[in-house]
Amino acid sequence: MNLQERLLLSLSRAIDERDYLEGSNDWSSRDPLSTLLEEFPDFAQIVTGKRVVDFGCGAGLQSIALAERYGCEVVGVDTDTVALKGAEAQARHRGLNPQQLRFTPSPTPDMQQGYDVVISQNAFEHFTTPEARLAEMQQLIHGDGRLLITFGPPWFAPYGGHMHFFCRLPWLNLLFAESAVMRVRGYYRDDGAARYEEVPGGLNKMTVARFERIVSDCGLKVVASRYRCVKGLDVLSRLPVFRELLINHISVVLHQAR
C-alpha cells in the first residue's frame, strides 16, 4: 500500500461500518418522481396523458409511477435485463397492461419519432457513449417532442467520483490518483473494478463543459435549464472555471431546433 492509499484509507470510514449513504437511496420510502417534480416545475403538465420513454429506467419504479399517476403510455428502456425482469413483474402486479407500460433493453425501430417526451434521470454521467445515447433519445421524439435530462453530480463536483459511500472527503477523485482510489474502494466493494468506468453503472467523467458541448453538437435547443450548486448557492454556476467545481446537479429541457 503506497502513501496515497494509506492516507485515503485513514480518511475513510471503518471497513466494517455501514456505508455513509446507506438508506439515502431507498426508493421504497420515497416518491420515485420526486426529483423530476423538483427539477421541472411544470412536469405534470409536460407528461400528463403523453407518450413517454423512460430512458435508463432501472427497476421501473419511475415508469410505473408515470403510467399510474399521469396516465402516460410509457416505454422503459434499460440495458440491465435483470432489472427489467423485475420491472415487468412489478408492472403486472400493479395491473398495468403492455399497451400502457412495457420495457425493452434498447429502443426498437418502431419507436422512432413516436414519443412526446423522453426522460433521462441520473444516468447521463454513467453512459459509456453519452453522445450516442443522446442521439438515440433525440430520434425518439417527434418534431414537437421534449427531452428532459437531469443528472448529477458531474465529474468535477465535490462528490463527482461517486465514492462518498466510503469517504466524505470532497473532490476525492481530483486529489487522489485513480489507482489509489480504486484500490481503497476495493476494501468496500469486491466487484474488481480498477477504473472509474468499471464500477457498476460506470462513470464517464462527465463534466459540465462536456455535457454542454454534447448538447450543442447534437443540434437540440435548450429551452430551460437549472444548475444546482453547493450550499444552494446556484448563482455560483455563472462563475467561469469555478462553476465546474461547484455545480452539483444539471437539469435541462431540450426541443428539436427549428
Side-chain angles (χ1 to χ4, degrees):
M1 183 180 294
N2 63 32
L3 180 60
Q4 276 205 8
E5 293 167 30
R6 288 199 296 270
L7 177 58
L8 180 54
L9 191 58
S10 72
L11 296 169
S12 301
R13 67 170 173 80
I15 295 171
D16 57 353
E17 289 181 354
R18 301 191 324 172
D19 285 357
Y20 285 142
L21 299 179
E22 189 169 321
S24 64
N25 294 318
D26 181 10
W27 285 96
S28 64
S29 60
R30 296 172 57 191
D31 179 354
L33 299 180
S34 59
T35 296
L36 295 170
L37 289 166
E38 181 178 0
E39 293 301 313
F40 305 104
D42 55 349
F43 181 74
Q45 180 182 349
I46 292 173
V47 302
T48 297
K50 300 297 178 62
R51 303 190 75 210
V52 178
V53 176
D54 186 4
F55 202 99
C57 67
L61 298 183
Q62 181 172 280
S63 301
I64 291 170
L66 284 165
E68 291 183 332
R69 192 178 310 177
Y70 296 112
C72 302
E73 181 183 326
V74 185
V75 178
V77 178
D78 202 288
T79 56
D80 187 340
T81 55
V82 174
L84 289 189
K85 288 181 180 179
E88 290 171 345
Q90 185 62 225
R92 287 194 300 270
H93 176 72
R94 303 292 285 264
L96 293 164
N97 64 61
Q99 285 71 44
Q100 186 175 11
L101 174 60
R102 64 185 178 91
F103 297 95
T104 178
S106 62
T108 53
D110 63 292
M111 294 172 62
Q112 301 300 302
Q113 298 181 350
Y115 292 84
D116 305 297
V117 184
V118 174
I119 297 170
S120 172
Q121 178 180 327
N122 291 334
F124 213 87
E125 76 273 38
H126 298 290
F127 293 138
T128 303
T129 53
E131 296 86 353
R133 299 292 77 75
L134 182 58
E136 278 187 297
M137 288 185 261
Q138 183 178 4
Q139 290 166 6
L140 294 172
I141 55 174
H142 55 64
D144 293 322
R146 305 187 198 188
L147 175 53
L148 277 56
I149 298 176
T150 181
F151 75 96
W155 181 245
F156 290 139
Y159 298 104
H162 289 59
M163 298 294 153
H164 44 306
F165 66 90
F166 72 87
C167 184
R168 289 176 169 151
L169 180 70
W171 295 290
L172 175 153
N173 52 310
L174 306 183
L175 297 171
F176 292 87
E178 180 178 43
S179 58
V181 174
M182 290 296 108
R183 288 195 185 99
V184 172
R185 179 185 178 277
Y187 288 102
Y188 305 93
R189 296 288 188 270
D190 61 358
D191 50 35
R195 302 174 61 202
Y196 287 106
E197 292 88 342
E198 296 172 358
V199 303
L203 283 173
N204 59 26
K205 303 181 181 180
M206 182 60 60
T207 64
V208 176
R210 184 185 176 195
F211 174 73
E212 292 175 336
R213 184 169 60 252
I214 291 171
V215 170
S216 176
D217 289 347
C218 81
L220 290 167
K221 180 182 179 181
V222 179
V223 296
S225 63
R226 175 176 290 181
Y227 291 76
R228 295 193 179 274
C229 293
V230 297
K231 304 297 183 181
L233 301 173
D234 295 351
V235 68
L236 299 176
S237 67
R238 303 173 188 172
L239 294 177
V241 181
F242 292 101
R243 67 197 299 263
E244 283 281 7
L245 298 171
L246 302 174
I247 293 174
N248 272 329
H249 201 94
I250 298 173
S251 298
V252 296
V253 178
L254 308 175
H255 281 194
Q256 300 281 17
R258 297 184 178 181

